[in-house]
């Protein structure tokens, strides 16, 4: 009897422990648990310690409340000019209503994917290839608006939609690459021509400036030389004037007679003849009188010895 009681006690303890384990539910952070009671929605468990009724309440699904990133495989899309492009999309979404995400749609990831594909085909179908390749932001904005509106009833908020890649057909890619190479070669040729033009202009301006500076320097040098020559001439003239004044003063102070002046005049004649510009001589009218005075000077000396003229 004791053994049977022990077994019963152990069974009771096990049942109670199992019931307690089923009663206590610990929900992780950023997670929500959908609780059904007898097959119907009862409540949503929040993160932390929660108590439920064992064998009556059960967790139907655990919902991740964090922002999720889903990359969908490339989808073929036809543009308005009948070209097929392959587009990769990335969706950033977050569950805001766990109950709606559980009961409003069977699989919200599949729903978001299919809605993205259909919306992408509608948006890109109204654009040509060139606009599709250059209007990523416009396509992203339209996709986000349509997806956010459609998934709102599913308890999902679409935060952002990005086009990861837009791949045109291989033949179109080859043509575009050739066109881009041609455009780059054209721009390179234009830039080279503009560089050579600017270099020629700068060279011409440098030569012009150098010529102007040389001419200005030569003019200033000529002016300085002329000023120096004028100053030298003025100084020479001043020196000659001072010399003439000193001679004139000495002559007057010495009270010379006519014979001495005539003798000095004859001594200056050879100095006057030394100049390179003296090609023509003009004998003044007083030359005869000077010679007479000189003759009288020398004759007087002879008479001085005899005491009278001969």
């Amino acid at each position: 009897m004791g053994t049977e009681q022990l077994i019963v006690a152990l069974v009771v303890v096990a049942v109670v422990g199992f019931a307690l384990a089923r009663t206590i539910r610990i929900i992780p952070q950023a997670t929500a648990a959908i609780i059904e009671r007898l097959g119907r929605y009862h409540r949503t468990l929040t993160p932390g310690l929660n108590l439920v009724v064992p064998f009556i309440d059960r967790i139907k699904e655990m919902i991740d409340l964090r922002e999720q990133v889903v990359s969908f495989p490339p989808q073929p899309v036809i543009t308005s000019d009948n070209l097929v492009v392959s587009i990769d999309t990335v969706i950033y979404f977050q569950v805001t209503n766990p109950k709606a995400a559980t009961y409003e749609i069977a699989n919200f990831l599949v729903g978001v994917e299919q809605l993205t594909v259909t919306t992408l085909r509608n948006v890109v179908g109204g654009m040509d290839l060139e606009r599709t390749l250059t209007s990523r932001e416009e396509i992203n904005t339209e996709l986000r608006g349509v997806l956010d509106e459609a998934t709102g009833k599913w308890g999902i908020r679409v935060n952002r939609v990005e086009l990861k890649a837009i791949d045109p057909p291989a033949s179109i890619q080859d043509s575009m690459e050739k066109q881009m190479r041609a455009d780059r070669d054209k721009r390179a040729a234009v830039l080279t021509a503009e560089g050579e033009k600017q270099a020629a202009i700068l060279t011409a301006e440098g030569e012009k400036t150098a010529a102007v500076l040389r001419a200005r320097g030569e003019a200033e040098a000529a002016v300085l030389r002329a000023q120096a020559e004028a100053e030298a001439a003025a100084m020479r003239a001043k020196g000659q004037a001072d010399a003439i004044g000193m001679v004139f003063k000495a002559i007057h102070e010495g009270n010379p007679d006519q014979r001495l002046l005539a003798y000095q005049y004859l001594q200056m004649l050879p100095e006057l003849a030394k100049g390179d510009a003296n090609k023509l001589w003009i004998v003044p009218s007083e030359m005869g009188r000077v010679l007479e005075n000189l003759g009288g000077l020398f004759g007087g000396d002879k008479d001085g010895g005899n005491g009278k003229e001969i």
Side-chain angles (χ1 to χ4, degrees), residues 100-275:
T102 302
Y103 294 104
E104 296 295 333
I105 187 170
N107 190 330
F108 60 83
L109 285 178
V110 176
V112 170
E113 179 182 3
Q114 296 302 318
L115 185 60
T116 301
V117 172
T118 55
T119 305
L120 186 63
R121 288 175 178 173
N122 290 334
V123 173
V124 176
M127 300 180 178
D128 56 13
L129 178 61
E130 183 176 358
R131 185 182 174 189
T132 301
L133 295 176
T134 58
S135 303
R136 288 175 176 261
E137 190 63 29
E138 180 181 352
I139 298 174
N140 293 339
T141 302
E142 292 190 23
L143 277 176
R144 181 184 178 281
V146 173
L147 291 175
D148 192 30
E149 181 180 358
T151 58
K153 64 179 181 179
W154 299 343
I156 297 174
R157 182 178 67 245
V158 177
N159 297 325
R160 188 168 54 180
V161 180
E162 295 290 343
L163 299 184
K164 187 166 60 174
I166 301 178
D167 298 325
S171 58
I172 301 299
Q173 288 184 1
D174 185 62
S175 299
M176 293 173 62
E177 290 176 358
K178 291 180 179 179
Q179 182 180 0
M180 292 176 63
R181 284 196 298 268
D183 291 340
R184 284 195 295 267
D185 293 340
K186 178 181 177 181
R187 288 196 297 268
V190 171
L191 292 176
T192 301
E194 289 181 353
E196 293 176 353
K197 177 182 177 181
Q198 292 295 330
I201 291 174
L202 292 176
T203 301
E205 290 180 351
E207 293 177 353
K208 176 183 176 181
T209 303
V212 171
L213 292 176
R214 284 195 299 269
R216 186 177 299 171
E218 292 175 356
E220 293 178 355
V223 170
L224 292 177
R225 284 195 298 268
Q227 291 178 353
E229 292 176 358
E231 293 177 357
M235 293 181 67
R236 286 195 298 270
K238 185 176 182 301
Q240 292 176 359
D242 293 341
I244 292 172
M246 293 177 64
V247 171
F248 184 78
K249 181 179 179 181
I251 291 173
H252 281 76
E253 289 179 354
N255 194 16
D257 57 4
Q258 192 69 22
R259 295 176 181 179
L260 178 59
L261 294 176
Y263 178 72
Q264 292 293 330
Y265 185 79
L266 290 175
Q267 285 185 338
M268 287 300 298
L269 289 178
E271 297 295 331
L272 294 175
K274 290 180 180 180

Side-chain angles (χ1 to χ4, degrees), residues 291-304:
L291 293 176
E292 290 178 0
N293 291 332
L294 290 176
L297 176 61
F298 294 109
D301 290 340
K302 291 178 182 180
D303 292 340

